[in-house]
Amino acid sequence: MARAWHRDTYWPFVISFAGLLGLGLLFVFSASHYDPAHYEMRQIFWVAVALFFFAAGFLLGYRTFLGFSRLFYAAIILMLLYVLAVSKARLGAQRWIEIGPLALQPSEFAKLAVLLFLTDYLGGRPIFEKEHSTLLGAVMLTGIPMLLILKQPDLGTALVLVSMAIAMLFYWGLKYRYFIFSILGFCLTAPLIWAGLKDYQRNRIMVFLNPERDPLGAGYTAVQSKIAIGSGGLLGKGFLHGTQTQLKFVPEHHTDFIFCVFGEEMGFAGAAVLLLCYGVLFYSILRILEHTTDVKARLLAVGLLAMLFSQVFINIGMSFGLMPITGITLPLFSYGGSSLVSTALGLGMVLSIHKERSIF
Amino acid sequence: MMRLRIIRGVVFGGLAVLGLGLFRVQVLQGPMYRAMGEQNRIRLIPMEAFRGKVVDRAKRLLATNRVSYDVVATPEDVTPPVFPLLARLLEISESEIRKRMSAPREYPFAPALIKPDIPREKVFNLEEMKPDLPGVSIQISGIRYYPYHTTASHLIGYIGKISEREYAALPRDRYGMNSLLGRLGIEKIYDDSLRGWRGGRQIEVDAQGNFVRVLSEKKAQPGSDLTLTLDLDFQQKIEQMLVDKRASVVVLDLDSEGLLALASSPAFDPNIFVAPGHSQERLDILRDKSSPMLDRGTGSAYPPGSIFKLVTAMAALERGKITPETRLFCPGYYKLGKRVFHCWDADGHGSLNLYEAIERSCNAYFYQLGARLAPEDIAYYARQFGLGDVMRLEVTDMTPGLVPDRVWKEKHAHEAWYAGDTLSFAIGQSYLLTSPIQILRLSAIIAKNGQVVEPRLVLPDADSEESRPEKKRVAVSEANIKVIQKAMLNVVQSNKGTGQFARVNFDKMAAKTGTAQAPPLQAHSWMTGFFPYDKPRIAFVVFVEHGGPGGITAAKIVNDTIKLWNSIYGTGVA
């Protein structure tokens, strides 16, 4: 049994996965140890749940989950609709479904649902037949949950869905001209859409692109976040010794802005280690992908890679002003059960691909 | 695989970009950010927008802003000796100051409000002591001010502090932790346009918390001003007529459909809700038995009494039950089975046609119409004139009133509708309830020969005028409306009319009185109509709660109101 585990496991993958979870836990603690809500205790519980789902993904294998993909997708759409209905009734944005003490965030699971359904869908349709209708199906399949998530409004998760779908279509083999036409089409229609917007809508977009325009809201966070990370310097201020983030200059520092805490306390050296961990994880996913011949397995791996990479890039990028600020978690690192569990389940499935690898 | 290579390139290229970016921010620019961070040099000062003004039709200020000097303190910069000194200067306790400083704030280093609206000489005192008061400063803000105090207070309304729930749900660029929101009247309904957009400043301060420079600034955008149709002068003088009464007078300009005056007495001073202090006055107002917060013109419904005979008459004419010349006999009462319904004139009016029945407000005549009509018929015509429904007007807490029918009574009173109910209904009693503004609208529609009138307090912009719906008519023929107009003329101008006290010597008036029974107290006093009869320019309603006979109490106020109107808007005939 132990030998089988050893043989079926791709060790760099598991080590980087465990390393990220462990580091995440430490810094959720750092971000919230003075907070009476004690997110770190809850995060320990969620890490345990996530490990369970990781094992389930690995042991049951990705094929089992692909078989349920349609059902899962339908359930997620219903949950997203429910969330919208509730937030309309409460007159405020709401992204959670509360079940007893737990709060589920359906948009996190929606990423996984789209990934599975799109894998099953594209994997069952060869590129040389009916390229148009397949493309249309894929766009709709991604578009429906994306619109529901945009409506929440959760721009970050919607962006992740788009990057994931683009990466999968690209890898599936969609002709280059489709991508070129899409980009051209977007560039051409953008001015028209812009002209049709109301003043306040334009203002929102301008602030989104350039937070300095709004020193009260996003701009404030952007500057404070940059100060926190920059003041970490090369070696950081030491674990639990961050001043900016601990003083709550940066909001949401146990979730979306966890990297601020990390960057301030561990400095550039720590940040480089963290990037290396993600690099190893991404490299492992690519290696696993190269050793399988199953089209669906490959699509699944590419989709998950795109999902994780876009989150890492947007999250870390926004914390030092490279990307605009949107609410998005740092995978395996930020506080949050839904994000942790869905990411771990996805990674478990990818690792199960490794079991069936062809040796060459 | 070419495509896989591209994906690999994007992923590792992206990670490299992140690494390089972090190297720049943390290593190359690290010392700069560290300096900024250690001294917490960047502070955020939100700036509230000035609220738009509310003016009357002649641009006289009804709601404006005055300057308020507020003492604020940045708790992080305050040293212990400040507390006793500040407490002495402001005459508040040290513990109160501490409490204020630990109240939730929107941003770290945001100044906490210690005492708003201090007198000017205190400002000088404080400025002199500045070296001994680190962290304390004076901020200038706008405080809402209603220069005419009780005048039109129900309509203008007031503003109040945002609640925690509202703050959480509303957008940050318009609502801050200390923002004020419209709570009543125009202030509430037009809150969105009166409120501007907040601004803010990111400033850099030195280690002592002194201002160094502005890093970025977004100017606050003041809210838009709003013009009401009211005439302040007219409104004020009408309110003076109503002092010590529980009453309402509403006057509508028929051409623009704008309300010239909408007075309700007693009134309250909205300033006590916006200026600091005054909590005792607020409690007094809320507990006052005469309900000064209630707008008697729009927010409360009463039986209309005989005024409703106008509606019953139109129902009978339209349904073909009578012609204007149909004569019915009034012996002073009307018998329905064993029950006797009395006319107000026990001697009886004798034989009357419709004109005479309205002129003298004969109950027996209208009992006989009630006997010929189904309650649904009367209710149908009442609803044609907007009774029983909330009016589309820029006023908060409007009442729909109540137009009863069989279905309503069975559902709410759990009792069948009796024939006697229809008789009471026909003379405006029973379950029927109307607000003065609804009665005003009834008169306005009659004055405009049946064209639907939508009274307004705010005139629409010139460019949105075309989007207004087409002029609708009520389902009463013009010929029948003319009959009612003529009967209303007789009410005032005939020597047997019930409304003679309202008569003026410079032009003819058409109106109808109402004396609505409200046992055990005195009856409610009503009168409504339009003026002048030939070319109507205004419609009006006067209502006095428990004021006694409409032909006396209300008619005298109508007389005063029309004279007043004529002195301002009239052709100078008087």
Side-chain angles (χ1 to χ4, degrees):
Chain A
M1 180 74 187
R3 282 183 63 89
W5 267 94
H6 179 69
R7 192 188 61 231
D8 291 344
T9 303
Y10 189 68
W11 286 105
F13 182 100
V14 176
I15 291 166
S16 55
F17 171 66
L20 286 166
L21 276 181
L23 276 177
L25 207 50
L26 280 177
F27 283 87
V28 168
F29 173 71
S30 172
S32 72
H33 64 281
Y34 53 81
D35 190 325
H38 286 292
Y39 291 109
E40 75 278 6
M41 296 311 287
R42 303 196 207 177
Q43 185 75 343
I44 289 175
F45 165 76
W46 283 118
V47 165
V49 175
L51 288 175
F52 173 80
F53 275 90
F54 178 75
F58 175 64
L59 293 174
L60 295 173
Y62 68 98
R63 285 175 214 275
T64 317
F65 289 93
L66 285 180
F68 285 111
S69 64
R70 273 142 225 262
L71 197 65
F72 185 35
Y73 182 85
I76 290 295
I77 295 288
L78 286 179
M79 283 162 89
L80 288 172
L81 285 171
Y82 174 79
V83 165
L84 275 187
V86 169
S87 53
K88 202 163 199 182
R90 290 193 191 167
L91 295 171
Q94 175 93 23
R95 296 176 184 176
W96 298 275
I97 295 179
E98 277 157 31
I99 307 166
L102 305 180
L104 281 188
Q105 210 173 339
S107 58
E108 289 293 339
F109 292 100
K111 289 185 273 193
L112 202 59
V114 172
L115 170 63
L116 287 172
F117 196 2
L118 210 52
T119 300
D120 201 44
Y121 180 83
L122 291 178
R125 285 171 176 72
I127 181 67
F128 39 81
E129 273 172 27
K130 296 184 185 160
E131 194 177 9
H132 273 106
S133 65
T134 310
L135 173 62
L136 194 69
V139 167
M140 281 185 41
L141 198 154
T142 319
I144 293 166
M146 192 186 91
L147 287 178
L148 292 176
I149 290 169
L150 265 180
K151 200 109 211 263
Q152 284 186 355
D154 182 352
L155 192 70
T157 306
L159 272 178
V160 171
L161 274 187
V162 174
S163 344
M164 190 173 83
I166 289 175
M168 290 172 80
L169 282 168
F170 178 75
Y171 186 70
W172 176 65
L174 191 67
K175 293 191 185 72
Y176 283 109
R177 62 165 178 263
Y178 285 99
F179 295 101
I180 293 165
F181 284 148
S182 307
I183 294 167
L184 281 179
F186 179 76
C187 292
L188 288 177
T189 51
L192 289 176
I193 298 171
W194 185 254
L197 290 177
K198 295 221 165 74
D199 265 356
Y200 75 94
Q201 289 171 319
R202 279 186 213 165
N203 198 36
R204 294 261 159 89
I205 293 173
M206 294 296 284
V207 169
F208 173 74
L209 294 175
N210 177 17
E212 320 273 314
R213 280 177 68 102
D214 180 16
L216 283 175
Y220 177 75
T221 312
V223 171
Q224 293 298 344
S225 167
K226 212 169 172 176
I227 291 177
I229 288 183
S231 67
L234 181 63
L235 297 172
K237 299 177 185 168
F239 186 54
L240 300 186
H241 285 85
T243 54
Q244 300 299 300
T245 43
Q246 303 285 9
L247 277 172
K248 301 192 184 178
F249 278 101
V250 183
E252 306 292 336
H253 50 266
H254 61 288
T255 56
D256 299 345
F257 280 94
I258 187 92
F259 185 75
C260 272
V261 183
F262 186 80
E264 188 187 1
E265 296 185 355
M266 302 315 280
F268 176 70
V273 171
L274 188 72
L275 286 178
L276 191 69
C277 279
Y278 281 115
V280 171
L281 186 68
F282 297 161
Y283 175 77
S284 313
I285 294 173
L286 285 164
R287 291 289 296 186
I288 289 171
L289 185 160
E290 282 171 317
H291 284 90
T292 179
T293 48
D294 181 359
V295 181
K296 287 187 182 177
R298 285 171 161 245
L299 279 167
L300 180 70
V302 164
L304 189 78
L305 176 64
M307 175 179 127
L308 296 181
F309 169 72
S310 57
Q311 286 189 70
V312 169
F313 192 79
I314 295 174
N315 183 289
I316 297 184
M318 78 179 176
S319 70
F320 67 93
L322 184 68
M323 296 294 284
I325 289 175
T326 55
I328 207 169
T329 55
L330 189 55
L332 301 176
F333 206 87
S334 287
Y335 171 77
S338 301
S339 155
L340 211 52
V341 167
S342 64
T343 310
L345 180 60
L347 287 170
M349 286 183 234
V350 168
L351 188 58
S352 79
I353 297 170
H354 186 67
K355 277 195 294 194
E356 304 179 7
R357 68 191 183 276
S358 5
I359 311 292
F360 55 82
Chain B
M1 268 285 283
M2 184 60 189
R3 292 196 179 212
L4 194 58
R5 235 176 270 158
I6 292 176
I7 290 175
R8 195 194 314 252
V10 170
V11 168
F12 292 110
L15 289 181
V17 166
L18 288 181
L20 286 174
L22 285 168
F23 182 76
R24 177 160 174 262
V25 171
Q26 295 191 287
V27 180
L28 301 183
Q29 299 173 342
M32 176 183 97
Y33 284 119
R34 182 168 285 231
M36 273 181 160
E38 268 164 13
Q39 291 161 27
N40 296 311
R41 274 181 167 171
I42 296 183
R43 299 207 179 162
L44 187 72
I45 313 292
M47 297 188 296
E48 297 291 332
F50 273 95
R51 202 172 166 86
K53 301 181 191 83
V54 181
V55 297
D56 85 333
R57 61 194 301 131
K59 306 283 170 205
R60 287 171 286 211
L61 287 172
L62 299 175
T64 180
N65 308 297
R66 66 176 169 81
V67 169
S68 156
Y69 297 96
D70 305 334
V71 181
V72 298
T74 308
E76 288 87 344
D77 296 337
V78 168
T79 53
V82 168
F83 292 100
L85 182 58
L86 197 58
R88 199 157 47 78
L89 283 169
L90 298 178
E91 290 158 19
I92 52 177
S93 70
E94 270 184 62
S95 61
E96 180 65 25
I97 295 178
R98 280 176 209 277
K99 212 173 88 193
R100 299 258 168 137
M101 282 203 195
S102 51
R105 287 179 289 158
E106 232 177 315
Y107 304 90
F109 291 92
L113 183 64
I114 306 298
K115 191 172 183 184
D117 200 19
I118 61 164
R120 197 181 277 244
E121 57 273 16
K122 279 263 165 67
V123 176
F124 296 131
N125 282 348
L126 228 72
E127 288 292 345
E128 279 167 19
M129 306 292 279
K130 192 103 209 286
D132 298 326
L133 293 168
V136 178
S137 56
I138 303 281
Q139 229 174 43
I140 295 173
S141 69
I143 208 164
R144 200 60 164 167
Y145 182 59
Y146 306 98
Y148 298 96
H149 301 272
T150 54
T151 302
S153 53
H154 302 98
L155 303 178
I156 301 164
Y158 59 88
I159 54 177
K161 208 173 166 224
I162 195 166
S163 73
E164 249 175 77
R165 274 194 58 177
E166 288 164 330
Y167 173 70
L170 292 165
R172 275 308 87 79
D173 49 357
R174 305 205 67 191
Y175 303 86
M177 206 172 239
N178 295 314
S179 282
L180 296 159
L181 255 67
R183 291 295 179 205
L184 185 82
I186 289 291
E187 293 273 33
K188 180 175 180 182
I189 295 168
Y190 285 91
D191 191 67
D192 197 58
S193 68
L194 287 171
R195 141 185 325 283
W197 297 78
R198 300 171 82 212
R201 257 190 200 152
Q202 269 184 25
I203 58 166
E204 192 179 328
V205 293
D206 64 17
Q208 280 76 47
N210 297 315
F211 172 85
V212 176
R213 64 193 159 113
V214 175
L215 295 177
S216 77
E217 178 171 14
K218 183 174 136 189
K219 287 243 158 59
Q221 286 173 33
S224 328
D225 295 348
L226 191 70
T227 306
L228 302 189
T229 60
L230 290 184
D231 177 334
L232 172 74
D233 196 29
F234 190 44
Q235 169 96 12
Q236 258 182 326
K237 286 182 176 148
I238 287 177
E239 285 180 6
Q240 279 158 17
M241 300 193 301
L242 303 182
V243 169
D244 296 329
K245 291 192 178 73
R246 298 185 188 184
S248 172
V249 172
V250 191
V251 180
L252 179 79
D253 178 54
L254 285 169
D255 180 42
S256 65
E257 299 190 5
L259 290 162
L260 289 176
L262 203 174
S264 172
S265 170
F268 62 96
D269 183 354
N271 288 306
I272 64 169
F273 290 96
V274 294
H278 299 293
S279 44
Q280 186 57 42
E281 279 136 295
R282 269 175 244 177
L283 282 178
D284 290 346
I285 286 283
L286 295 171
R287 285 184 190 146
D288 191 330
K289 289 243 166 48
S290 66
S291 328
M293 299 287 288
L294 174 68
D295 185 345
R296 286 175 164 77
T298 62
S300 189
Y302 310 86
S306 301
I307 283 179
F308 193 70
K309 287 173 183 164
L310 301 175
V311 176
T312 308
M314 285 187 277
L317 289 169
E318 284 291 314
R319 291 285 143 109
K321 306 292 183 190
I322 52 164
T323 69
E325 296 304 334
T326 303
R327 299 198 82 84
L328 298 171
F329 188 77
C330 167
Y333 59 87
Y334 177 77
K335 258 188 172 166
L336 179 77
K338 280 183 194 160
R339 259 183 90 186
V340 179
F341 289 77
H342 293 283
C343 186
W344 62 269
D345 185 351
D347 297 339
H349 290 103
S351 171
L352 299 164
N353 65 14
L354 181 63
Y355 296 111
E356 291 157 343
I358 290 176
E359 169 193 310
R360 294 165 214 179
S361 204
C362 173
N363 287 357
Y365 190 95
F366 281 90
Y367 287 140
Q368 292 174 68
L369 298 192
R372 297 177 186 198
L373 287 162
E376 283 72 22
D377 292 334
I378 306 176
Y380 173 80
Y381 287 100
R383 290 184 184 125
Q384 279 291 309
F385 289 89
L387 303 182
D389 205 354
V390 176
M391 199 180 293
R392 207 183 56 198
L393 179 67
E394 303 86 345
V395 163
T396 41
D397 306 321
M398 253 193 296
T399 176
L402 175 66
V403 173
D405 54 23
R406 277 185 240 260
V407 180
W408 175 86
K409 192 182 176 193
E410 273 156 30
K411 200 173 157 199
H412 290 90
H414 307 289
E415 216 184 358
W417 183 275
Y418 301 116
D421 289 335
T422 316
L423 301 193
S424 301
F425 190 12
I427 63 157
Q429 297 284 159
S430 88
Y431 306 98
L432 180 68
L433 294 172
T434 61
S435 65
I437 187 118
Q438 288 177 324
I439 293 299
L440 170 91
R441 191 182 184 199
L442 169 72
S443 289
I445 296 172
I446 292 171
K448 285 202 160 186
N449 299 324
Q451 184 188 298
V452 171
V453 175
E454 298 279 2
R456 286 184 291 209
L457 259 182
V458 178
L459 288 181
D461 303 335
D463 50 326
S464 68
E465 189 71 31
E466 55 210 344
S467 68
R468 287 193 61 201
E470 259 180 70
K471 281 291 172 194
K472 283 185 297 193
R473 277 189 55 82
V474 290
V476 178
S477 73
E478 201 161 328
N480 284 339
I481 297 254
K482 293 273 187 208
V483 170
I484 301 297
Q485 288 176 348
K486 199 175 154 210
M488 286 171 79
L489 176 70
N490 292 345
V491 169
V492 182
Q493 304 301 138
S494 149
N495 286 338
K496 286 182 176 170
T498 56
Q500 296 175 52
F501 273 130
R503 202 183 295 164
V504 288
N505 58 11
F506 42 86
D507 213 333
K508 286 184 286 183
M509 185 193 306
K512 179 77 193 81
T513 57
T515 308
Q517 302 307 313
L521 297 171
Q522 262 201 310
H524 297 312
S525 194
W526 285 95
M527 188 157 183
T528 186
F530 54 91
F531 182 86
Y533 174 74
D534 293 315
K535 279 197 179 126
R537 287 178 60 195
I538 53 167
F540 58 85
V541 66
V542 169
F543 168 78
V544 184
E545 205 173 297
H546 304 299
I552 300 172
T553 317
K556 283 180 176 165
I557 297 175
V558 167
N559 181 268
D560 289 342
T561 305
I562 298 300
K563 281 182 192 157
L564 178 61
W565 177 83
N566 194 61
S567 71
I568 304 172
Y569 295 95
T571 43
V573 184

